[in-house]
Amino acid sequence: MKIVVLDGYSINPGDLSWSPLSALGTFRSFDRTAEEEILNHIGDSEVFFVSKCHITRSILEKCLNLKFIGVTATGYDNVDTKAAEEMGIAVCHVPAYSTDAVAQHTFALILELTNRSGSYNASVQRGKWYESKDFTFIEEPLTLLSGKSLGIIGYGNIGSRVARIGEAFGMKINIYSRDKDAAQKSDFVTLHCPLTPENKGFIDKEFIAGMKDGAVLINTARGALVNESDLAEALKSGKLAAAALDVLSTEPPKAGHPLIGLPNCILTPHIAWMPKETRQKVIDICAANLESFLNGGRLNRIV
């Protein structure tokens, strides 16, 4: 059996082993696959794994040996699952693998905004502590999380884990699906909902106007949930004190993005999901999915 990984670099840039998958057949992994290379890279394989490449009906119609598609992520909107089902091709994904990692990164962003450890370290490294007349110095104000409110939009696996962490910090938790007004007017508002046609760009000028003055927005879900130009204006005007985002609507972003360069906006490059342990889990679950399929099972099968 021939097994191909089309875009394996983000899962395994070289610090992990593909052995759980390579043990199941003749194996090859490509770091990246351009659109025009997809068919050539799949070749006559019976199995391929994919993260971001778009797998259309026209591609599937040309893959005559194909029996199984493994998505190395939770979301699978890049694969035409209807076409796959019609052609008798199994499609599996990796659900809920990143819950702990994304919840952790959510608070890494919140704590960077409240405790400023990165910027204080930079000041110390520049020699400012040497020059201090006291045992400490105050450069930026710090914020205590205890007693602050945390509005959570999207209360699935990740949102509920974030809530428990927030409670451990002494925060008041407001869940958007239960009390929209309280969640929207929280000191911190964090997004953990899936992207749908109905909620695309819903964090816009109107939503932000209903937020508490000086609030903070966190997004570790999907970039397209946010109207980024409206968010940039709110940050410039001071309506929002700060924002911290791990995702943008287009990744990588294009030059001149309205949020890049704003002093009160922290951006990380879609890394919340990717601790080494989490990426290893993806490989292990992908192998388990394929092994289950080969044995007649339906582990994590979509179609």
Side-chain angles (χ1 to χ4, degrees):
M1 180 175 62
K2 292 183 178 180
I3 304 169
V4 169
V5 177
L6 292 180
D7 43 4
Y9 182 82
S10 61
I11 300 294
N12 181 11
D15 58 345
L16 298 173
S17 171
W18 291 111
S19 59
L21 282 172
S22 62
L24 299 175
T26 303
F27 178 83
R28 184 175 185 186
S29 174
F30 296 93
D31 281 349
R32 300 168 189 85
T33 295
E35 184 178 351
E36 63 274 13
E37 297 175 317
I38 291 175
L39 283 172
N40 184 50
H41 284 185
I42 294 173
D44 61 353
S45 301
E46 293 98 333
V47 173
F48 73 77
F49 289 86
V50 61
S51 175
K52 297 296 184 185
C53 294
H54 284 88
I55 307 302
T56 62
R57 177 181 293 271
S58 63
I59 288 172
L60 295 177
E61 289 173 343
K62 297 179 178 70
C63 299
L64 302 181
N65 288 346
L66 190 62
K67 298 180 176 62
F68 177 98
I69 300 170
V71 181
T72 59
T74 300
Y76 47 86
D77 55 312
N78 57 314
V79 176
D80 189 334
T81 54
K82 182 179 179 182
E85 185 174 26
E86 290 173 5
M87 298 175 199
I89 301 168
V91 181
C92 292
H93 71 144
V94 184
Y97 71 94
S98 63
T99 297
D100 292 328
V102 176
Q104 176 178 310
H105 196 76
T106 297
F107 271 90
L109 294 174
I110 290 173
L111 289 168
E112 181 56 36
L113 288 170
T114 58
N115 286 59
R116 307 288 184 181
S117 55
S119 57
Y120 270 100
N121 172 65
S123 294
V124 170
Q125 299 299 338
R126 289 194 303 267
K128 187 162 183 178
W129 208 0
Y130 291 130
E131 303 163 359
S132 178
K133 295 180 180 179
D134 304 294
F135 71 94
T136 185
F137 63 88
I138 300 172
E139 191 170 64
E140 299 178 84
L142 307 185
T143 301
L144 189 67
L145 287 179
S146 181
K148 299 295 188 298
S149 53
L150 178 65
I152 300 176
I153 302 179
Y155 200 64
N157 290 326
I158 297 172
S160 58
R161 185 65 54 86
V162 166
R164 291 199 293 275
I165 298 171
E167 288 171 343
F169 275 107
M171 303 184 79
K172 181 181 186 301
I173 305 302
N174 297 317
I175 301 166
Y176 189 74
S177 59
R178 301 176 187 174
D179 189 338
K180 290 185 177 182
D181 187 62
Q184 186 173 356
K185 294 187 179 302
S186 297
D187 297 303
F188 295 81
V189 175
T190 181
L191 307 182
H192 301 290
C193 51
L195 176 66
T196 67
E198 292 72 31
N199 68 14
K200 183 176 182 181
F202 87 103
I203 305 295
D204 57 9
K205 188 176 298 186
E206 182 179 354
F207 184 95
I208 293 169
M211 292 176 67
K212 181 177 181 179
D213 290 347
V216 172
L217 178 71
I218 309 292
N219 187 11
T220 56
R222 289 291 180 262
L225 293 167
V226 176
N227 182 313
E228 291 160 348
S229 295
D230 287 357
L231 175 57
E233 288 304 312
L235 292 170
K236 290 175 184 176
S237 71
K239 166 63 180 175
L240 297 184
L245 303 93
D246 184 55
V247 287
L248 294 176
S249 58
T250 300
E251 298 170 347
K254 309 230 181 281
H257 191 282
L259 294 173
I260 294 178
L262 295 183
N264 54 347
C265 186
I266 292 175
L267 296 167
T268 53
H270 205 142
I271 58 171
W273 64 278
M274 64 183 302
K276 186 175 182 180
E277 297 87 345
T278 306
R279 291 182 287 111
Q280 182 64 59
K281 185 186 294 187
V282 171
I283 293 175
D284 292 342
I285 295 174
C286 283
N289 289 347
L290 178 54
E291 192 166 13
S292 172
F293 169 76
L294 294 174
N295 292 325
R298 296 184 60 88
L299 181 64
N300 297 320
R301 188 162 169 178
I302 301 159
V303 298

